[in-house]
Amino acid sequence: MWLWQFHREVPSTLTEASRVLSEIVAELQRQGWSERDIFSVQLAVEEALVNAIKHGNRSDQSKLVSTRCRVSRQAICVEIADEGEGFDPSQVPDPTSPERLEEPSGRGIMLMRTFMNRVTYNAKGNVVTLEKTRSDAEVSETA
Amino acid sequence: METFSRHIEIRQIGDCVVVYFTRSRILHTTEHEQLAEKLREVVEVYRPRSLVLNLHNVVFLPSAVLSHLVTLKVRLGKQGRRFALCNLRPEIAEILRIAGLDRWFTIFADEQDALAALSTTAGESLG
């Protein structure tokens, strides 16, 4: 059962993205999520929002970024959609390979996958869904 | 210690410049580009032989900022300058490890170690 849900559609600016992210973080804090979990969610959602704005909508402020977020006692699910052409995430090269270490980009998806339990894309590649289970879910359940 | 911008303070020690981040939340979406620009300015103004970023106050390191640090290190290396990080919090060290950059960057436990290693009398092999 979802305790909290929201949907925001904002122009493709980092300022607007920050506001969306702040709302999510504030809700997790309100629900007593651990600092470690909040850090993970914050990092992953920020990466996804920046990708949607910069790579998806190419910072075109006439295009919107949609964020749907649901939080239960045990988990959070965040879906972020842009109006871009999409991409194939399987074609993104491994940024940790020696020949790519000095490349300035390509680490965002890897960080999202590391800090969340599940990261999936739609077929077009312009909607990413981030899911994380609360690390103290069992404790929370019985508390 | 000198306030260089609202993002950073600096301290010049010989031919080494140490950069401190003034706010833990500075590394947030709207300020990535401004931060990168200020770091470039530090290099242009002080032209240090070595640049050390003291990350003690940094609690968040998104990939966009990581990219700027990678670019900065590469640029400094081409100029014959050295670049290092020190005083990393565990979560920042973890991000660097995940990104495979924990051994690519020159990282010191604390500022004293960094300055000792990067002083002009130290070896030339550091990145």
Side-chain angles (χ1 to χ4, degrees):
Chain A
M1 184 181 74
W2 301 110
L3 297 175
W4 185 76
Q5 301 184 55
F6 90 157
H7 179 215
R8 298 282 182 273
E9 281 191 325
V10 299
S12 299
T13 70
L14 295 175
T15 303
E16 293 293 342
S18 276
R19 291 197 181 114
V20 170
L21 182 58
S22 295
E23 283 194 73
I24 294 172
V25 169
E27 179 59 24
L28 295 182
Q29 289 170 334
R30 197 181 68 77
Q31 292 194 24
W33 282 52
S34 70
E35 282 188 21
R36 169 71 187 175
D37 280 349
I38 292 174
F39 173 84
S40 299
V41 171
Q42 186 171 7
L43 190 142
V45 172
E46 171 159 339
E47 296 291 348
L49 286 168
V50 170
N51 282 349
I53 291 168
K54 287 190 172 176
H55 304 302
N57 289 346
R58 309 249 175 223
S59 299
D60 179 348
Q61 294 187 27
S62 69
K63 292 183 176 176
L64 299 176
V65 173
S66 163
T67 304
R68 292 178 190 277
C69 179
R70 293 173 293 179
V71 181
S72 72
R73 284 193 196 284
Q74 298 87 18
I76 181 170
C77 177
V78 186
E79 179 190 284
I80 295 168
D82 62 60
E83 298 187 64
E85 298 299 313
F87 76 111
D88 181 355
S90 69
Q91 296 302 307
V92 176
D94 177 7
T96 64
S97 62
E99 66 275 14
R100 293 199 62 85
L101 275 182
E102 294 188 13
E103 293 294 320
S105 61
R107 299 181 181 87
I109 295 173
M110 181 192 60
L111 290 177
M112 284 191 276
R113 287 191 166 132
T114 301
F115 285 95
M116 301 298 278
N117 294 108
R118 194 158 179 256
V119 176
T120 51
Y121 286 85
N122 68 343
K124 184 179 175 182
N126 71 331
V127 181
V128 61
T129 303
L130 312 168
E131 297 170 78
K132 184 168 185 65
T133 303
R134 189 170 173 165
S135 57
D136 59 353
E138 288 184 15
V139 174
S140 172
E141 192 75 345
T142 56
Chain B
M1 187 98 70
E2 177 186 342
T3 300
F4 192 80
S5 74
R6 68 191 176 98
H7 302 103
I8 56 177
E9 292 178 337
I10 62 167
R11 188 159 72 110
Q12 191 168 18
I13 302 149
D15 53 8
C16 182
V17 165
V18 182
V19 176
Y20 307 87
F21 294 83
T22 53
R23 288 180 293 157
S24 60
R25 301 308 311 166
I26 190 173
L27 300 182
H28 211 269
T29 45
T30 54
E31 298 179 312
H32 299 166
E33 300 299 332
Q34 296 167 30
L35 173 65
E37 190 180 325
K38 289 300 171 191
L39 290 174
R40 284 193 293 270
E41 278 183 37
V42 168
V43 175
E44 287 169 14
V45 171
Y46 290 90
R47 308 192 70 76
R49 182 175 167 84
S50 303
L51 184 71
V52 177
L53 301 193
N54 185 327
L55 300 181
H56 171 72
N57 203 29
V58 176
V59 298
F60 202 67
L61 191 65
S63 68
V65 175
L66 201 50
S67 298
H68 289 310
L69 299 188
V70 168
T71 302
L72 182 62
K73 187 195 166 185
V74 170
R75 183 186 300 124
L76 289 173
K78 287 177 181 171
Q79 296 172 357
R81 304 177 198 278
R82 298 182 292 196
F83 179 75
L85 310 174
C86 69
N87 286 78
L88 276 63
R89 288 171 181 259
E91 54 269 42
I92 301 301
E94 183 184 8
I95 289 173
L96 292 181
R97 183 184 55 74
I98 291 164
L101 293 170
D102 53 333
R103 278 180 283 185
W104 185 77
F105 281 120
T106 304
I107 299 173
F108 295 97
D110 56 40
E111 191 179 313
Q112 193 175 0
D113 284 355
L115 292 174
L118 296 173
S119 69
T120 50
T121 54
E124 296 294 321
S125 61
L126 292 167

